Amino acid sequence: IFDNGIHGLVGVYHSAVGLATYPIAQANDIPTVYSEPWNDNVTANGIIEYDGRPPRFETDGIDYIFRIAPASFMTSAVAIDWLLNQGVEDVVIVAENTDYGIPAAATDQALLEAGGVTVETLYIEMGTDDFIPILSRIQARPNPPDAVKSQITGETSLNFVQQMAELGIAPNEDTICIANQFAFQSEQWWRSVPDGNWCTFQRVGIIPTLFNETTHRLADDFRKIFHEDIASFALASYDSVIIMADAMGRAGTFTGADAIVAALEATDLTASQGRYYFEYTSDNPVPEGVPAWMWHQWPDPIVTMMQYYEVGQTGPEAAVIWPPAYQTHDTNYIAPGTTPGD
């Protein structure tokens, strides 16, 4: 902020970084659009206390923090709704011990238990390479779980899923494999998880069948440079820049923080992942009964469940299985050993 003289902040990967940086952005009046942190408190802390901190602003103050990534609750709700639709009764969650993994797993567990499902949550430290000890605990159960859900990010999640598949825990006819959204990066997925066919995974962001002209252009450019399918967080990072630039343009200033915040609150534009706007702002506070994290939160991120069913498929070729409105193969689950339509 001081060395480079910035007047706006965008991006940030991931929740722990978002939670660590927003107090600094707020204290220095820096309009911020977070594109990737999911922890609910990234936006909720505008109006509630978090981790001993007071809210970012008083009722007559200005909150400089916005988010276009989904809150963790939004992602969990889709995945758990799908699992309940599958009729699961016993689920194991394996989560990383971070500001992302702990609350995300807690939300998963609460939603599953509300649906009558028995849940066991196990935690791992980031940087772990050998998951055999924790996987052995799953193997030692008297009955296999109906699903194992990973709340582990990045490449670490790939190692976990491959070791789980090698041990025969999942995916199979007894147990559903639910991988991290990083599974969409198909070249890394098949290189690191050669036994990962029929795993499901969450896709946060626009699905390939809904790509618009901007999305296609970015996807083509991304593949030329990185030789990989574009990640949703890359699209979101691009869009956060567009949103900030648009707000500065409408505000007529690059340095007037309060004017830029007012323009951000009035955002209404379409970029690579759809139409962006912020429903709850200083002119429309979050009402009673609406989650606090909806403050300065884009309300319409697309969250889907996808599934590979052929070895070597690209991310865009994977089936979208949930929610029904986005299904691409007329099924909400592809049983291991089958293909859609069997």
Side-chain angles (χ1 to χ4, degrees):
I1 291 170
F2 296 111
D3 292 348
N4 298 310
I6 72 165
H7 299 288
L9 178 67
V10 299
V12 179
Y13 186 91
H14 50 110
S15 291
V17 184
L19 293 173
T21 54
Y22 77 62
I24 301 170
Q26 179 70 20
N28 290 278
D29 299 351
I30 301 297
T32 301
V33 179
Y34 284 122
S35 65
E36 181 58 17
W38 292 8
N39 186 294
D40 293 351
N41 287 297
V42 169
T43 47
N45 183 245
I47 50 181
I48 64 170
E49 182 178 342
Y50 163 66
D51 197 23
R53 308 169 187 169
R56 281 193 292 265
F57 68 102
E58 303 300 331
T59 55
D60 58 349
I62 293 177
D63 184 18
Y64 297 90
I65 310 303
F66 296 76
R67 175 168 57 187
I68 61 173
S72 283
F73 186 92
M74 301 168 86
T75 64
S76 287
V78 172
I80 302 313
D81 185 45
W82 170 71
L83 275 173
L84 294 176
N85 180 268
Q86 301 309 303
V88 298
E89 298 178 352
D90 181 17
V91 173
V92 173
I93 301 168
V94 181
E96 61 185 57
N97 186 19
T98 66
D99 285 330
Y100 159 71
I102 294 171
T107 300
D108 282 348
Q109 181 164 342
L111 291 172
L112 284 166
E113 289 177 343
V117 177
T118 299
V119 182
E120 180 181 11
T121 300
L122 306 172
Y123 290 99
I124 61 100
E125 297 293 333
M126 289 302 289
T128 300
D129 292 321
D130 183 4
F131 297 97
I132 300 303
I134 205 164
L135 289 169
S136 296
R137 292 176 59 180
I138 302 174
Q139 263 191 326
R141 292 167 130 245
N143 296 301
D146 295 322
V148 176
K149 187 175 190 296
S150 167
Q151 285 287 19
I152 307 170
T153 56
E155 289 84 352
T156 302
S157 68
L158 305 183
N159 296 333
F160 169 76
V161 174
Q162 175 58 23
Q163 291 177 36
M164 179 170 67
E166 287 175 349
L167 291 174
I169 296 172
N172 55 46
E173 60 182 11
D174 295 316
T175 305
I176 298 170
C177 162
I178 309 169
N180 174 264
Q181 66 163 338
F182 204 74
F184 188 83
Q185 306 304 110
S186 52
E187 292 191 16
Q188 293 187 62
W189 171 260
W190 294 117
R191 184 168 59 248
S192 301
V193 195
D195 298 319
N197 198 23
W198 293 295
C199 272
T200 68
F201 58 93
Q202 206 158 38
R203 165 76 172 175
V204 173
I206 191 168
I207 59 175
T209 55
L210 297 179
F211 279 13
N212 58 33
E213 182 179 347
T214 301
T215 326
H216 280 296
R217 175 173 56 81
L218 289 172
D220 291 344
D221 289 346
F222 191 94
R223 176 161 282 283
K224 289 175 185 177
I225 296 170
F226 298 107
H227 311 291
E228 178 64 282
D229 298 311
I230 193 165
S232 58
F233 43 84
L235 295 172
S237 296
Y238 174 89
D239 288 354
S240 67
V241 177
I242 298 301
I243 291 167
M244 182 65 75
D246 171 75
M248 289 178 167
R250 286 184 290 105
T253 176
F254 297 110
T255 60
D258 294 0
I260 293 169
V261 167
L264 282 169
E265 290 192 333
T267 294
D268 190 348
L269 65 85
T270 298
S272 73
Q273 295 206 101
R275 174 178 170 247
Y276 288 100
Y277 64 100
F278 300 100
E279 184 172 3
Y280 297 108
T281 63
S282 55
D283 291 331
N284 184 33
V286 178
E288 186 176 352
V290 173
W293 45 257
M294 284 296 291
W295 170 257
H296 279 189
Q297 167 73 50
W298 180 38
D300 291 335
I302 296 176
V303 181
T304 57
M305 295 300 301
M306 301 185 72
Q307 185 177 13
Y308 287 119
Y309 60 91
E310 289 182 2
V311 174
Q313 280 183 311
T314 66
E317 291 173 335
V320 180
I321 56 176
W322 197 262
Y326 295 124
Q327 282 179 351
T328 55
H329 291 67
D330 297 320
T331 183
N332 54 34
Y333 183 61
I334 305 164
T338 70
T339 58
D342 285 356

